Amino acid sequence: MITIWMAALALAGTAPAQTLPTHYEAGHFYATPETADGASLRLLVDTGGGGVAGMYWLSAKAVQRLGLKTGTCTVDGNALPVATPPAYRPGQQLPPSSGPCAGKLLVNPGPYPDDGQLGATYLGSRVWTFDYPRRQLRTEAGDWRPDPSAHRAPLGFQTDAHGKVVQHFPRIVVRIGGEPLNMLLDTGATAHPSASGKAATGIETVHGFGVTSYITTSTLERWHQAHPAWTMVEDGDDLMAPRFKARLIEVPAVEIAGWSVGPVWFTERPDQAFHGMMASLMDASPEGAIGANVLARFSMTIDYPHATAWFRCAGDCTAAARTRD
């Protein structure tokens, strides 16, 4: 136990807590550090987002704009395109990446609406607090301790045969309609509601985008059959249109970390999105994702080294009755 604790402290680091420069927009956190020469970045902070080898990533366009030195880093026989991070203004630095490409950032050649992303593999070596009420994002010190009023929730991560975490996509168990469900804990879950979806949910959007939680088609159908009184909206979200027009369903309550919140709207996603792709990256197949339309009620700390999340209620939530699965 002592060995595990010491290893966790080494991963989390001994540096003091740091509040990152952040812009909060319609439920999403964006890290917005400024470089020494005055350039600014906009990086989505996404616990359900991708990445490789412990690095955050920038788009190739952003790397070119900043004039960063590029190269490659070999991981498991694969040469990854990387760049040396820019020099940031004092107090604007991002915590350095860890892993085999320590001190580098990944270059993403594909098109992307923002400059880049702080995704799961980058976040996964530290303790992070998403303080939704204060709209602050912090990386905590190695001696961080949870607030006494916070509720604990164990997280699941995919590990190898030796118990080493190999994927940092967090699985959390929630209860909906009395049923426990495995879900991805996803700060980046994005909505683009249609006119009917926005009218039904009242969701806040910027340029049409907001936040949501996701549920698979098969579970949505099962909910609809078991609970016909739960409101459903056809073609409620067009983020994946025209190939997939998502329905919305409103559940009366979600129990998470011993708290009950609700009502909550869920956006439909094809089964394969979670039973296929995400299941291959997690320790158990999820039925969807819990996003910021739930998380915004909390100051949430994700302690990756200890596979635990802590939720401190900031309003519009109540302690859930104790249940046994």
Side-chain angles (χ1 to χ4, degrees):
M1 186 69 178
I2 293 176
T3 301
I4 294 174
W5 175 248
M6 290 177 66
L9 284 178
L11 283 169
T14 57
Q18 177 188 351
T19 299
L20 272 66
T22 305
H23 176 63
Y24 185 84
E25 182 178 286
H28 286 125
F29 282 95
Y30 292 91
T32 54
E34 292 187 11
T35 66
D37 59 5
S40 61
L41 289 171
R42 175 181 163 97
L43 312 174
L44 178 65
V45 186
D46 186 1
T47 58
V52 181
M55 293 180 283
Y56 67 93
W57 61 262
L58 296 185
S59 69
K61 184 177 180 180
V63 168
Q64 183 179 27
R65 173 168 61 88
L66 297 175
L68 302 183
K69 181 180 179 181
T70 60
T72 60
C73 178
T74 301
V75 179
D76 296 330
N78 298 312
L80 304 177
V82 299
T84 300
Y88 291 108
R89 290 179 55 192
Q92 299 274 307
Q93 300 91 340
L94 295 178
S97 60
S98 59
C101 305
K104 301 294 183 181
L105 61 84
L106 185 68
V107 180
N108 188 332
Y112 192 70
D114 301 305
D115 290 319
Q117 187 179 104
L118 310 186
T121 60
Y122 172 75
L123 300 171
S125 63
R126 295 180 175 86
V127 180
W128 296 86
T129 293
F130 294 78
D131 192 334
Y132 283 90
R134 294 182 179 178
R135 301 185 174 186
Q136 290 183 349
L137 176 68
R138 297 190 302 277
T139 178
E140 303 291 359
D143 60 354
W144 175 86
R145 294 293 184 272
D147 187 287
S149 66
H151 289 190
R152 176 183 180 274
L155 301 176
F157 293 103
Q158 189 179 102
T159 60
D160 62 18
H162 305 288
K164 178 183 177 182
V165 174
V166 293
Q167 296 288 351
H168 288 91
F169 295 95
R171 176 182 58 84
I172 191 167
V173 178
V174 303
R175 297 182 68 91
I176 298 173
E179 176 189 12
L181 293 171
N182 289 317
M183 304 290 272
L184 172 67
L185 185 59
D186 188 4
T187 61
T190 299
H192 192 276
S194 64
S196 59
K198 189 165 186 178
T201 64
I203 182 176
E204 177 189 1
T205 61
V206 173
H207 304 304
F209 295 96
V211 293
T212 188
S213 293
Y214 296 137
I215 198 65
T216 57
T217 294
S218 57
T219 299
L220 182 147
E221 293 283 3
R222 184 161 51 80
W223 282 351
H224 185 52
Q225 292 175 10
H227 308 281
W230 291 4
T231 303
M232 194 158 70
V233 179
E234 298 289 338
D235 296 341
D237 188 281
D238 56 16
L239 184 66
M240 298 176 66
R243 58 191 173 93
F244 186 81
K245 293 183 178 180
R247 295 171 288 180
L248 308 179
I249 190 167
E250 185 185 45
V251 307
V254 173
E255 293 182 22
I256 182 169
W259 298 106
S260 178
V261 301
V264 174
W265 286 93
F266 282 80
T267 301
E268 181 185 11
R269 283 293 176 263
D271 281 16
Q272 184 61 22
F274 286 97
H275 295 170
M277 183 189 70
M278 288 311 307
S280 71
L281 300 171
M282 297 175 67
D283 68 327
S285 180
E287 287 301 322
I290 296 297
N293 63 334
V294 172
L295 305 178
R297 298 164 168 88
F298 301 97
S299 176
M300 174 184 70
T301 298
I302 305 178
D303 183 346
Y304 283 93
H306 291 96
T308 304
W310 295 88
F311 291 78
R312 181 174 59 80
C313 177
D316 197 22
C317 45
T318 58
R322 290 180 176 270
T323 57
R324 291 185 180 181
D325 297 338

